Amino acid sequence: MSCMSEGKVYVEKPASAVISRRTFLKICGVGVAVTALAAYKLTDIVLQRNKYIKLRQRAQYQDDKGVRERYRLAVSHQNPMLKRFYGEFTTHPLSETSELLLHTGYAPRVKTFPMEV
Amino acid sequence: MSVAKVRTFTEPPNARVGSSSFRTGELKGIIHINHRHCVGCDTCTKVCPAGAISGGIGTTHRIEIDRCINCGQCLTNCPFGAIEQMAFIEEVLRKLRDKETLTVAIIAPAVRVAISEEFGAPPGTLTVGRLHKALKEAGFVIYENNFAADQTILEEGTELLGRIAYWLLGLKEFEIEVWGKKIKVGLEHFKHKPLPQFTSCCPGWVRYAELYYPKVLPHLSSCKSPQQMAGASAKTYGALDIWKHDPAKVYTVGIMPCTAKIFEASRPEFCHAQKWLEEHGRLPQRSQRIPDVDAVLTTRDLAALFKKLNINPMRFSEAETPQDFEWYSGGATIFGTSGGVMEAAVRFAFHILSGEEPDALSSAWDFKQVRGYTNPVVEATIQVPLKPAYRELLGSDRFELRVCTVNGIGTDGSHLKPIINDAIAGRSNFHFIEVMTCSGGCLNGGGQPVNPMGTSWIDPLLPLRL
Ligand code: SF4
Ligand code: SF4
Ligand code: SF4
């Protein structure tokens, strides 16, 4: 699979292939029907597309609720293993070990490649 | 209920050669349009947050990889399945077969709300215990990315309070109390950490800032994303103290709803565990680089891996007792949804500032006003009562914490740009801003199962306006 070497490939789709006027009209007729159908379908998609996000969101909050009901853990510091991690290892947030392992820095990429917004 | 098949490809030989907006080692071209399948419908251009796709209607489209932030939104929204993803399934399978290697699954919050779709369950089927069991069956040990999300909140929440203390109160040192322990945080270096603070968990957003808004970088939290915190902790504390396994033989796999995480794991600076181990004499000084996160599988990739191993997570039961790094809080798991990082941070800041111990069952510890749901941008002010020590410092009995949730960068940055411009110009009203590249948050990420309806963009932009 070459994904780097794609270069510029602007392939015109073969709609411009030579077709007779009759065929053209026929295609247009079919096209209208297909478009109407597609428009119907697409409206459906617009109505449906947030459904997935909403259902997944509901599950995410369901997990929050479950964890809080089962283990009484609503806030991060209540995590018993986390307490152990800080107790035995990094000591506290923003400690030296934390800064080394859990923090990072960022650098502009524009130096090497100026981008316009 | 069925999901669409997404084509994958393996890493091409030149993918880590540095050029233009990529440093040496960083993976290029994780998301790729297959020109044989692209029909030029232009959907991808309309969902790209970075304006990285070119091509007119009816012509083959092309991703300009130097502008691309690897979010994969074009992939999940292409109605023709023409967009492909770089995948590392075989590599992970090889490590699972190697008995000397301890293979760690770092499993992200949003995976548990979507992977069931790949196995025929209705969307929104929560899969935690059975996902853990299936992973163990496959040979992984588990490091919950939700555990790492709790680490993130402790670090990022404290950082936020530090920025507030330095910039609003002019303090040089700041005291917080966690687990009944008083911790002094030095604030000297906070002069390089201005307000507002932006979240840094989303690698799509981090690359977006690095590419297009370098001026905003000091505003980004210095915290790594949970995935990278997990990798670095798993190969140090996890290997040495919990699993008692040679850190050099620990192989960490991020299991993510996200394609930008594939890129993130390849960032050359992320070999902090190796550095720590060498400094502490736990690893011989060696030239070969050990990344904190060795490989990333998307939710789809994990489903494919399970299918290769004949494992169906839905066959197991949900009930389980968490062990070690399987523990996580409610605040951590909502990282997968827009506004979740914000809410988790607000819960923690509320606890620290007010001195109140949370009642997990009380809705007082829900902060619904910061949730993204299906709104592009959410702004909220939270009234936080102060405990006596802070009351004196602030000369007030409450603090107004002003926050903002950017629910998806939006087409060509439409949701984010006004917020970012205010922050750079110093006229932002907020203390803390969450940015997620994908609309709805990671649960709608580029690595998630693709539903046959194709599209999943929140804005009523495409394909039709309602
Ligand atoms: S959405 Fe898919 S088919 Fe349409 S232009 Fe983009 S890559 Fe081509
Ligand atoms: S939608 Fe995301 S992955 Fe696709 S081209 Fe744009 S930035 Fe890259
Ligand atoms: S929002 Fe989540 S899934 Fe989307 S790019 Fe960011 S981290 Fe990845």
Side-chain angles (χ1 to χ4, degrees):
Chain A
M1 193 64 55
S2 81
C3 74
M4 245 24 59
S5 58
E6 194 181 57
K8 287 216 185 314
V9 266
Y10 288 93
V11 184
E12 278 291 345
K13 290 295 150 184
S16 55
V18 195
I19 43 168
S20 73
R21 197 181 127 80
R22 273 238 311 266
T23 325
F24 176 72
L25 288 175
K26 211 154 64 191
I27 290 173
C28 282
V30 173
V32 168
V34 167
T35 310
L37 240 171
Y40 173 76
K41 197 74 203 152
L42 290 181
T43 316
D44 206 37
I45 292 176
V46 176
L47 289 172
Q48 291 248 353
R49 70 178 143 195
N50 283 353
K51 202 180 85 184
Y52 279 78
I53 300 178
K54 285 183 182 156
L55 287 168
R56 289 176 185 170
Q57 267 171 351
R58 207 167 66 192
Q60 208 86 66
Y61 289 115
Q62 182 196 335
D63 198 26
D64 175 24
K65 194 157 171 279
V67 168
R68 286 158 71 171
E69 282 173 359
R70 278 196 303 279
Y71 312 118
R72 302 286 188 274
L73 306 176
V75 185
S76 297
H77 73 284
Q78 297 179 299
N79 181 335
M81 184 66 185
L82 189 80
K83 208 172 151 181
R84 202 177 143 197
F85 171 80
Y86 279 101
E88 293 178 358
F89 192 56
T90 46
T91 66
H92 62 80
L94 306 187
S95 68
E96 217 176 291
T97 313
S98 285
E99 290 285 353
L100 182 72
L101 290 173
L102 309 180
H103 290 257
T104 183
Y106 315 98
R109 286 170 190 271
V110 281
K111 264 189 226 140
T112 46
F113 193 80
M115 307 296 281
E116 296 146 35
V117 186
Chain B
M1 216 66 62
S2 70
V3 290
K5 171 109 187 91
V6 173
R7 269 184 292 264
T8 58
F9 58 93
T10 52
E11 181 188 332
N14 53 354
R16 293 182 200 249
V17 179
S19 71
S20 300
S21 76
F22 292 86
R23 291 171 292 164
T24 303
E26 289 176 338
L27 281 168
K28 295 194 296 272
I30 290 163
I31 305 294
H32 167 68
I33 297 179
N34 186 326
H35 58 85
R36 276 174 307 162
H37 297 284
C38 173
V39 302
C41 71
D42 213 36
T43 306
C44 51
T45 316
K46 303 281 196 326
V47 298
C48 179
I53 303 180
S54 53
I57 291 179
T59 66
T60 304
H61 282 47
R62 192 178 148 268
I63 296 172
E64 205 181 310
I65 56 168
D66 280 315
R67 299 189 68 94
C68 171
I69 60 173
N70 309 297
C71 68
Q73 282 300 317
C74 53
L75 183 154
T76 53
N77 285 287
C78 171
F80 298 90
I83 309 187
E84 306 171 343
Q85 174 220 315
M86 195 186 288
F88 297 86
I89 303 169
E90 289 305 325
E91 199 179 316
V92 174
L93 276 171
R94 261 200 306 280
K95 289 291 175 181
L96 283 171
R97 270 182 238 118
D98 175 12
K99 291 290 159 257
E100 279 185 8
T101 302
L102 185 82
T103 314
V104 182
I106 300 168
I107 161 160
V111 176
R112 72 206 64 210
V113 302
I115 191 158
S116 54
E117 292 166 32
E118 293 274 354
F119 294 91
T125 306
L126 182 64
T127 314
V128 187
R130 42 197 163 179
L131 181 54
H132 287 174
K133 284 172 207 156
L135 285 164
K136 287 173 191 167
E137 175 97 356
F140 290 97
V141 296
I142 290 169
Y143 190 117
E144 261 292 348
N145 207 38
N146 280 355
F147 176 83
D150 281 329
Q151 294 175 292
T152 306
I153 286 303
L154 272 269
E155 298 293 332
E156 194 162 345
T158 308
E159 183 188 352
L160 173 66
L161 296 175
R163 288 191 198 228
I164 291 173
Y166 183 88
W167 289 99
L168 300 184
L169 305 176
L171 298 180
K172 295 280 167 283
E173 194 182 63
F174 178 63
E175 191 175 86
I176 63 165
E177 193 180 322
V178 205
W179 306 301
K181 236 175 41 188
K182 289 195 165 61
I183 298 157
K184 279 209 182 348
V185 181
L187 299 175
E188 304 78 43
H189 64 297
F190 275 70
K191 66 169 171 289
H192 307 295
K193 293 182 163 197
L195 282 170
Q197 174 173 300
F198 283 75
T199 56
S200 56
C201 327
C202 168
W205 150 235
V206 169
R207 182 165 156 86
Y208 185 89
E210 288 180 325
L211 278 175
Y212 303 107
Y213 287 96
K215 283 206 184 105
V216 89
L217 292 175
H219 292 268
L220 260 66
S221 162
S222 63
C223 291
K224 293 179 182 176
S225 77
Q227 167 177 271
Q228 295 307 134
M229 287 199 185
S233 309
K235 291 196 175 188
T236 52
Y237 178 64
L240 299 174
D241 293 346
I242 305 297
W243 301 311
K244 319 258 190 257
H245 200 95
D246 175 5
K249 297 250 161 56
V250 172
Y251 185 81
T252 46
V253 184
I255 295 174
M256 298 288 142
C258 178
T259 45
K261 294 278 177 194
I262 303 173
F263 169 78
E264 182 188 60
S266 77
R267 290 177 65 118
E269 66 270 31
F270 288 145
C271 50
H272 293 121
Q274 176 177 19
K275 214 165 136 201
W276 187 91
L277 290 164
E278 286 174 358
E279 275 172 17
H280 288 77
R282 306 307 289 258
L283 206 65
Q285 304 278 336
R286 44 200 284 163
S287 50
Q288 213 202 335
R289 180 178 173 273
I290 304 177
D292 290 337
V293 174
D294 292 285
V296 175
L297 298 180
T298 61
T299 307
R300 294 186 299 265
D301 296 340
L302 179 65
L305 181 135
F306 278 155
K307 284 170 186 168
K308 277 185 193 222
L309 295 174
N310 254 321
I311 297 172
N312 180 350
M314 306 314 284
R315 290 230 189 86
F316 299 92
S317 75
E318 265 296 270
E320 67 158 356
T321 315
Q323 303 282 319
D324 302 335
F325 297 114
E326 289 163 22
W327 282 102
Y328 62 84
S329 73
T333 198
I334 55 175
F335 263 54
T337 179
S338 164
V341 178
M342 181 55 72
E343 183 168 349
V346 168
R347 288 181 191 176
F348 178 67
F350 196 95
H351 159 70
I352 295 295
L353 292 175
S354 70
E356 284 176 35
E357 267 313 311
D359 170 6
L361 299 182
S362 158
S363 62
W365 291 85
D366 283 337
F367 292 92
K368 293 193 174 151
Q369 63 269 47
V370 309
R371 296 182 182 175
Y373 292 122
T374 50
N375 308 305
V377 179
V378 174
E379 303 179 0
T381 303
I382 292 127
Q383 304 288 346
V384 188
L386 295 175
K387 66 179 189 184
Y390 295 137
R391 232 176 270 163
E392 276 167 39
L393 274 178
L394 275 107
S396 161
D397 59 358
R398 60 182 57 245
F399 179 68
E400 280 194 359
L401 184 62
R402 290 188 302 272
V403 302
C404 172
T405 298
V406 180
N407 184 2
I409 287 180
T411 301
D412 208 3
S414 58
H415 301 165
L416 175 65
K417 280 178 183 173
I419 308 282
I420 237 178
N421 285 329
D422 280 356
I424 292 172
R427 48 167 196 260
S428 180
N429 259 325
F430 304 111
H431 302 120
F432 195 26
I433 300 167
E434 175 195 300
V435 180
M436 290 295 150
T437 301
C438 305
S439 300
C442 305
L443 44 73
N444 185 35
Q448 293 284 59
V450 175
N451 71 72
M453 303 313 283
T455 180
S456 55
W457 202 242
I458 278 179
D459 289 329
L461 280 174
L462 259 183
L464 283 179
R465 267 186 182 279
L466 270 194

PDB file of all heavy atoms in Angstrom, chain B residues 31 44 47-53 63 67-75, ligand 2:
ATOM      1  N   ILE B  31      -3.844   8.248   8.078  1.00  0.00           N
ATOM      2  CA  ILE B  31      -5.134   8.253   7.397  1.00  0.00           C
ATOM      3  C   ILE B  31      -4.871   8.522   5.917  1.00  0.00           C
ATOM      4  O   ILE B  31      -4.161   9.469   5.569  1.00  0.00           O
ATOM      5  CB  ILE B  31      -6.050   9.354   7.962  1.00  0.00           C
ATOM      6  CG1 ILE B  31      -6.203   9.210   9.472  1.00  0.00           C
ATOM      7  CG2 ILE B  31      -7.413   9.337   7.263  1.00  0.00           C
ATOM      8  CD1 ILE B  31      -6.922   7.966   9.914  1.00  0.00           C
ATOM      9  N   CYS B  44     -15.777  14.392   3.060  1.00  0.00           N
ATOM     10  CA  CYS B  44     -14.620  14.460   3.954  1.00  0.00           C
ATOM     11  C   CYS B  44     -14.129  15.888   4.130  1.00  0.00           C
ATOM     12  O   CYS B  44     -13.773  16.294   5.239  1.00  0.00           O
ATOM     13  CB  CYS B  44     -13.503  13.558   3.426  1.00  0.00           C
ATOM     14  SG  CYS B  44     -13.102  13.840   1.695  1.00  0.00           S
ATOM     15  N   VAL B  47     -16.005  17.712   6.807  1.00  0.00           N
ATOM     16  CA  VAL B  47     -15.847  17.346   8.216  1.00  0.00           C
ATOM     17  C   VAL B  47     -14.419  17.547   8.717  1.00  0.00           C
ATOM     18  O   VAL B  47     -14.161  17.400   9.901  1.00  0.00           O
ATOM     19  CB  VAL B  47     -16.268  15.885   8.505  1.00  0.00           C
ATOM     20  CG1 VAL B  47     -17.735  15.672   8.187  1.00  0.00           C
ATOM     21  CG2 VAL B  47     -15.402  14.896   7.765  1.00  0.00           C
ATOM     22  N   CYS B  48     -13.497  17.879   7.833  1.00  0.00           N
ATOM     23  CA  CYS B  48     -12.100  17.971   8.269  1.00  0.00           C
ATOM     24  C   CYS B  48     -11.890  19.215   9.129  1.00  0.00           C
ATOM     25  O   CYS B  48     -12.145  20.322   8.682  1.00  0.00           O
ATOM     26  CB  CYS B  48     -11.164  18.003   7.065  1.00  0.00           C
ATOM     27  SG  CYS B  48      -9.440  18.140   7.558  1.00  0.00           S
ATOM     28  N   PRO B  49     -11.414  19.041  10.368  1.00  0.00           N
ATOM     29  CA  PRO B  49     -11.206  20.197  11.229  1.00  0.00           C
ATOM     30  C   PRO B  49     -10.015  21.049  10.802  1.00  0.00           C
ATOM     31  O   PRO B  49      -9.902  22.207  11.198  1.00  0.00           O
ATOM     32  CB  PRO B  49     -10.949  19.581  12.607  1.00  0.00           C
ATOM     33  CG  PRO B  49     -10.493  18.193  12.329  1.00  0.00           C
ATOM     34  CD  PRO B  49     -11.131  17.772  11.048  1.00  0.00           C
ATOM     35  N   ALA B  50      -9.120  20.471   9.997  1.00  0.00           N
ATOM     36  CA  ALA B  50      -7.854  21.144   9.725  1.00  0.00           C
ATOM     37  C   ALA B  50      -7.747  21.670   8.305  1.00  0.00           C
ATOM     38  O   ALA B  50      -6.709  22.193   7.913  1.00  0.00           O
ATOM     39  CB  ALA B  50      -6.703  20.178  10.015  1.00  0.00           C
ATOM     40  N   GLY B  51      -8.789  21.540   7.518  1.00  0.00           N
ATOM     41  CA  GLY B  51      -8.724  21.989   6.132  1.00  0.00           C
ATOM     42  C   GLY B  51      -7.625  21.273   5.367  1.00  0.00           C
ATOM     43  O   GLY B  51      -6.918  21.870   4.571  1.00  0.00           O
ATOM     44  N   ALA B  52      -7.482  19.975   5.621  1.00  0.00           N
ATOM     45  CA  ALA B  52      -6.344  19.244   5.060  1.00  0.00           C
ATOM     46  C   ALA B  52      -6.684  18.487   3.780  1.00  0.00           C
ATOM     47  O   ALA B  52      -5.822  17.848   3.196  1.00  0.00           O
ATOM     48  CB  ALA B  52      -5.799  18.263   6.106  1.00  0.00           C
ATOM     49  N   ILE B  53      -7.947  18.535   3.368  1.00  0.00           N
ATOM     50  CA  ILE B  53      -8.338  17.725   2.206  1.00  0.00           C
ATOM     51  C   ILE B  53      -8.604  18.619   1.004  1.00  0.00           C
ATOM     52  O   ILE B  53      -9.296  19.629   1.099  1.00  0.00           O
ATOM     53  CB  ILE B  53      -9.578  16.871   2.532  1.00  0.00           C
ATOM     54  CG1 ILE B  53      -9.286  15.999   3.755  1.00  0.00           C
ATOM     55  CG2 ILE B  53      -9.970  16.003   1.333  1.00  0.00           C
ATOM     56  CD1 ILE B  53     -10.417  15.112   4.177  1.00  0.00           C
ATOM     57  N   ILE B  63      -5.441  13.899   0.852  1.00  0.00           N
ATOM     58  CA  ILE B  63      -5.112  14.505   2.144  1.00  0.00           C
ATOM     59  C   ILE B  63      -3.718  15.104   2.073  1.00  0.00           C
ATOM     60  O   ILE B  63      -2.767  14.433   1.661  1.00  0.00           O
ATOM     61  CB  ILE B  63      -5.158  13.461   3.275  1.00  0.00           C
ATOM     62  CG1 ILE B  63      -6.580  12.923   3.450  1.00  0.00           C
ATOM     63  CG2 ILE B  63      -4.647  14.052   4.587  1.00  0.00           C
ATOM     64  CD1 ILE B  63      -6.695  11.757   4.405  1.00  0.00           C
ATOM     65  N   ARG B  67      -0.794  19.032   6.797  1.00  0.00           N
ATOM     66  CA  ARG B  67      -1.847  19.785   7.480  1.00  0.00           C
ATOM     67  C   ARG B  67      -2.739  18.886   8.328  1.00  0.00           C
ATOM     68  O   ARG B  67      -3.528  19.377   9.132  1.00  0.00           O
ATOM     69  CB  ARG B  67      -2.741  20.497   6.460  1.00  0.00           C
ATOM     70  CG  ARG B  67      -2.049  21.513   5.571  1.00  0.00           C
ATOM     71  CD  ARG B  67      -3.077  22.295   4.779  1.00  0.00           C
ATOM     72  NE  ARG B  67      -3.862  23.155   5.642  1.00  0.00           N
ATOM     73  CZ  ARG B  67      -3.568  24.443   5.872  1.00  0.00           C
ATOM     74  NH1 ARG B  67      -2.540  24.999   5.290  1.00  0.00           N
ATOM     75  NH2 ARG B  67      -4.319  25.157   6.681  1.00  0.00           N
ATOM     76  N   CYS B  68      -2.650  17.595   8.113  1.00  0.00           N
ATOM     77  CA  CYS B  68      -3.588  16.638   8.726  1.00  0.00           C
ATOM     78  C   CYS B  68      -3.241  16.409  10.196  1.00  0.00           C
ATOM     79  O   CYS B  68      -2.083  16.286  10.551  1.00  0.00           O
ATOM     80  CB  CYS B  68      -3.508  15.323   7.949  1.00  0.00           C
ATOM     81  SG  CYS B  68      -4.384  13.959   8.711  1.00  0.00           S
ATOM     82  N   ILE B  69      -4.274  16.357  11.057  1.00  0.00           N
ATOM     83  CA  ILE B  69      -4.038  16.108  12.481  1.00  0.00           C
ATOM     84  C   ILE B  69      -4.436  14.684  12.886  1.00  0.00           C
ATOM     85  O   ILE B  69      -4.566  14.382  14.070  1.00  0.00           O
ATOM     86  CB  ILE B  69      -4.746  17.159  13.361  1.00  0.00           C
ATOM     87  CG1 ILE B  69      -6.259  17.152  13.129  1.00  0.00           C
ATOM     88  CG2 ILE B  69      -4.169  18.555  13.087  1.00  0.00           C
ATOM     89  CD1 ILE B  69      -7.028  18.062  14.098  1.00  0.00           C
ATOM     90  N   ASN B  70      -4.641  13.821  11.912  1.00  0.00           N
ATOM     91  CA  ASN B  70      -4.842  12.379  12.128  1.00  0.00           C
ATOM     92  C   ASN B  70      -6.110  12.002  12.886  1.00  0.00           C
ATOM     93  O   ASN B  70      -6.177  10.934  13.487  1.00  0.00           O
ATOM     94  CB  ASN B  70      -3.643  11.773  12.898  1.00  0.00           C
ATOM     95  CG  ASN B  70      -2.319  12.123  12.278  1.00  0.00           C
ATOM     96  OD1 ASN B  70      -2.055  11.747  11.150  1.00  0.00           O
ATOM     97  ND2 ASN B  70      -1.493  12.850  12.991  1.00  0.00           N
ATOM     98  N   CYS B  71      -7.102  12.883  12.898  1.00  0.00           N
ATOM     99  CA  CYS B  71      -8.279  12.618  13.734  1.00  0.00           C
ATOM    100  C   CYS B  71      -9.164  11.510  13.184  1.00  0.00           C
ATOM    101  O   CYS B  71      -9.952  10.914  13.919  1.00  0.00           O
ATOM    102  CB  CYS B  71      -9.100  13.885  13.900  1.00  0.00           C
ATOM    103  SG  CYS B  71      -9.878  14.425  12.361  1.00  0.00           S
ATOM    104  N   GLY B  72      -9.069  11.249  11.887  1.00  0.00           N
ATOM    105  CA  GLY B  72      -9.866  10.165  11.322  1.00  0.00           C
ATOM    106  C   GLY B  72     -11.337  10.485  11.112  1.00  0.00           C
ATOM    107  O   GLY B  72     -12.125   9.600  10.784  1.00  0.00           O
ATOM    108  N   GLN B  73     -11.730  11.733  11.304  1.00  0.00           N
ATOM    109  CA  GLN B  73     -13.145  12.074  11.103  1.00  0.00           C
ATOM    110  C   GLN B  73     -13.555  11.885   9.645  1.00  0.00           C
ATOM    111  O   GLN B  73     -14.681  11.495   9.356  1.00  0.00           O
ATOM    112  CB  GLN B  73     -13.425  13.511  11.568  1.00  0.00           C
ATOM    113  CG  GLN B  73     -13.549  13.637  13.075  1.00  0.00           C
ATOM    114  CD  GLN B  73     -14.671  12.793  13.653  1.00  0.00           C
ATOM    115  OE1 GLN B  73     -15.771  12.737  13.112  1.00  0.00           O
ATOM    116  NE2 GLN B  73     -14.390  12.098  14.746  1.00  0.00           N
ATOM    117  N   CYS B  74     -12.623  12.159   8.736  1.00  0.00           N
ATOM    118  CA  CYS B  74     -12.940  11.940   7.323  1.00  0.00           C
ATOM    119  C   CYS B  74     -13.227  10.463   7.075  1.00  0.00           C
ATOM    120  O   CYS B  74     -14.136  10.098   6.344  1.00  0.00           O
ATOM    121  CB  CYS B  74     -11.781  12.418   6.447  1.00  0.00           C
ATOM    122  SG  CYS B  74     -10.186  11.731   6.895  1.00  0.00           S
ATOM    123  N   LEU B  75     -12.454   9.620   7.754  1.00  0.00           N
ATOM    124  CA  LEU B  75     -12.600   8.174   7.568  1.00  0.00           C
ATOM    125  C   LEU B  75     -13.977   7.691   8.026  1.00  0.00           C
ATOM    126  O   LEU B  75     -14.678   6.999   7.294  1.00  0.00           O
ATOM    127  CB  LEU B  75     -11.486   7.454   8.340  1.00  0.00           C
ATOM    128  CG  LEU B  75     -11.393   5.930   8.244  1.00  0.00           C
ATOM    129  CD1 LEU B  75      -9.967   5.494   8.498  1.00  0.00           C
ATOM    130  CD2 LEU B  75     -12.319   5.220   9.202  1.00  0.00           C
TER     131      LEU B  75
HETATM  132  S1  SF4 C   2     -10.439  14.787   8.840  1.00  0.00           S
HETATM  133 FE1  SF4 C   2      -8.743  14.503  10.269  1.00  0.00          FE
HETATM  134  S2  SF4 C   2      -7.671  12.686   9.499  1.00  0.00           S
HETATM  135 FE2  SF4 C   2      -8.996  13.397   7.856  1.00  0.00          FE
HETATM  136  S3  SF4 C   2      -7.649  14.728   6.646  1.00  0.00           S
HETATM  137 FE3  SF4 C   2      -8.740  16.047   8.095  1.00  0.00          FE
HETATM  138  S4  SF4 C   2      -7.328  16.181   9.827  1.00  0.00           S
HETATM  139 FE4  SF4 C   2      -6.660  14.439   8.603  1.00  0.00          FE
END
